Amino acid sequence: MTEIEDNISTNLTYPVITTGTFDGLHLGHQKVLAETIRIANKYNGTPSVLTFWPHPRHVLGKGEFSLLNTFEEKKQLFNNLGIEHVFYQPFTLDFAKLSSEEYVEKILVKKLKVKVLVVGYDHQFGKERTGKFETLGELAEKFNFKLERVAALDMDGLNVSSTKIRTALEVGNVNQANKMLGYDYFISGTVVEGFKVGREIGFPTANIKLTDDKKLLPTDGVYAVYAKVEEKFYQGMLSIGYRPTFENQPHVRSVEVNLFNFSKEIYNMPIAIYFIERLRDEVKYKSIDELISQLHIDKENSINLLKSTPKMPDCLK
């Protein structure tokens, strides 16, 4: 993604631009991106995206808020979706003070030279998000660009949204979240040293430190997952929680994955985890033997669920 700096002035051919935060890049977002590409092809133009970083809610201090995508993950997803030109506006308190008209004139018109602006059904912009679609229509006429609006994507009677996906993940419903995302939810991190108790009971785990602590972790429990290490996928099961059965260990929240048929040392290496299904709650067992018996069941259930490699967004072109 290219940062929009004060002195930038792009020279794209007939820019067809969509803009938004795009946290999650879910199926609703993908519908908007597909329409942007379709319109650009119609005019032999250049489909482009303008997004914002950091997330506006972090800058504006609007309560606790977790991200569906880190900056690097968002770059990866845009690339997978076939979007070649992605610009990001650093979101600052000063930028947030721009009025609707100042934002359109300074960024979209003067810097990106927009010819067609494509927006989602609920797009709001400008200071305190006071800019509505009707306002955009007036500004499009004033600054001589076309405006297109994409209807909401409806799934099972509900509009797909980042908020609904966060809610699903926060209760462990990764299956529902994945349906709305159009791909398997994933986290990225680095393998770090843990307490090595998994190795002692026959289920060695890789402990994961997230790349971005603002990234949303699904609720505590055990999940069937795929792990990507050195560009290869491995089946596994992952635990998020406090290891309550091990009373002599510090009860700090951890993320640890047991990879099947895997024996390499991967400390300090990057790893990505793709969530396929939640297996169960985290449970405090009466004994280590009882825990081991359950882990064998978890492994069998995971293998039965993990039939193909993770789904990622299809290219929209």
Side-chain angles (χ1 to χ4, degrees):
M1 291 195 284
T2 304
E3 179 179 348
I4 293 185
E5 299 171 336
D6 289 340
N7 60 353
I8 193 172
S9 180
T10 63
N11 291 300
L12 303 178
T13 302
Y14 201 89
V16 178
I17 296 170
T18 187
T19 179
T21 306
F22 296 109
D23 190 31
L25 275 167
H26 54 63
L27 286 173
H29 295 145
Q30 292 173 43
K31 181 179 179 182
V32 174
L33 296 177
E35 183 65 6
T36 302
I37 291 174
R38 186 194 68 79
I39 293 170
N41 290 340
K42 174 183 175 182
Y43 291 107
N44 292 318
T46 306
S48 306
V49 169
L50 170 63
T51 189
F52 309 99
W53 194 265
H55 195 290
R57 284 183 61 173
H58 286 150
V59 176
L60 299 174
K62 296 194 173 182
E64 292 293 320
F65 184 75
S66 296
L67 296 170
L68 295 175
N69 299 134
T70 67
F71 186 78
E72 291 300 320
E73 289 168 1
K74 192 179 290 191
K75 285 170 62 177
Q76 176 187 349
L77 290 168
F78 276 127
N79 183 63
N80 285 358
L81 288 164
I83 303 295
E84 296 176 11
H85 296 280
V86 181
F87 303 94
Y88 79 92
Q89 169 65 47
F91 197 90
T92 63
L93 290 175
D94 284 340
F95 176 76
K97 293 175 184 175
L98 291 181
S99 69
S100 303
E101 183 165 343
E102 287 173 325
Y103 161 68
V104 168
E105 182 178 12
K106 290 183 177 182
I107 307 299
L108 294 175
V109 175
K110 290 188 175 179
K111 292 186 177 181
L112 297 181
K113 299 179 174 59
V114 61
K115 294 296 183 184
V116 183
L117 181 63
V118 183
V119 296
Y121 75 100
D122 60 348
H123 184 73
Q124 296 175 314
F125 65 104
K127 184 179 180 181
E128 297 179 350
R129 293 169 62 87
T130 54
K132 310 292 184 184
F133 184 77
E134 293 71 23
T135 307
L136 266 181
E138 297 167 3
L139 294 172
E141 187 172 339
K142 178 175 181 177
F143 293 110
N144 194 31
F145 61 85
K146 298 181 177 66
L147 180 63
E148 298 284 345
R149 190 182 201 179
V150 181
L153 179 66
D154 183 89
M155 181 181 289
D156 300 326
L158 292 173
N159 292 340
V160 173
S161 73
S162 299
T163 299
K164 291 185 176 71
I165 293 167
R166 284 190 197 92
T167 300
L169 292 170
E170 285 166 356
V171 297
N173 193 346
V174 295
N175 189 272
Q176 181 64 22
N178 290 347
K179 286 180 181 177
M180 290 188 281
L181 286 167
Y183 60 91
D184 293 321
Y185 186 69
F186 64 101
I187 60 174
S188 308
T190 304
V191 177
V192 296
E193 289 214 25
F195 296 100
K196 299 183 172 64
V197 292
R199 184 178 302 175
E200 295 173 7
I201 63 173
F203 289 90
T205 59
N207 284 60
I208 301 169
K209 178 178 174 54
L210 295 189
T211 303
D212 189 332
D213 60 9
K214 295 183 179 67
K215 173 80 174 184
L216 190 153
L217 267 178
T219 194
D220 293 355
V222 179
Y223 296 83
V225 301
Y226 278 99
K228 189 177 185 182
V229 181
E230 294 183 316
E231 301 304 314
K232 288 185 65 176
F233 287 106
Y234 299 92
Q235 295 181 341
M237 56 186 183
L238 176 133
S239 172
I240 302 174
Y242 295 85
R243 302 183 302 274
T245 305
F246 299 98
E247 294 184 345
N248 61 336
Q249 297 290 339
H251 285 184
V252 293
R253 196 181 192 210
S254 65
V255 182
E256 43 193 314
V257 61
N258 171 242
L259 303 180
F260 307 152
N261 303 313
F262 188 89
S263 59
K264 293 175 64 175
E265 289 287 354
I266 53 174
Y267 288 127
N268 301 315
M269 291 179 61
I271 188 170
I273 299 293
Y274 298 77
F275 291 83
I276 307 303
E277 192 76 72
R278 188 172 190 265
L279 299 174
R280 61 176 175 86
D281 290 339
E282 182 178 52
V283 175
K284 181 177 180 178
Y285 292 97
K286 295 177 183 177
S287 68
I288 300 299
D289 287 340
E290 189 177 339
L291 171 61
I292 291 171
S293 295
Q294 181 60 52
L295 290 175
H296 282 291
I297 296 170
D298 294 338
K299 181 175 181 179
E300 182 178 350
N301 289 339
S302 295
I303 291 171
N304 289 334
L305 286 165
L306 300 170
K307 301 297 185 184
S308 59
T309 53
K311 181 180 179 183
M312 290 296 287
D314 296 326
C315 178
L316 295 172
K317 288 187 176 180

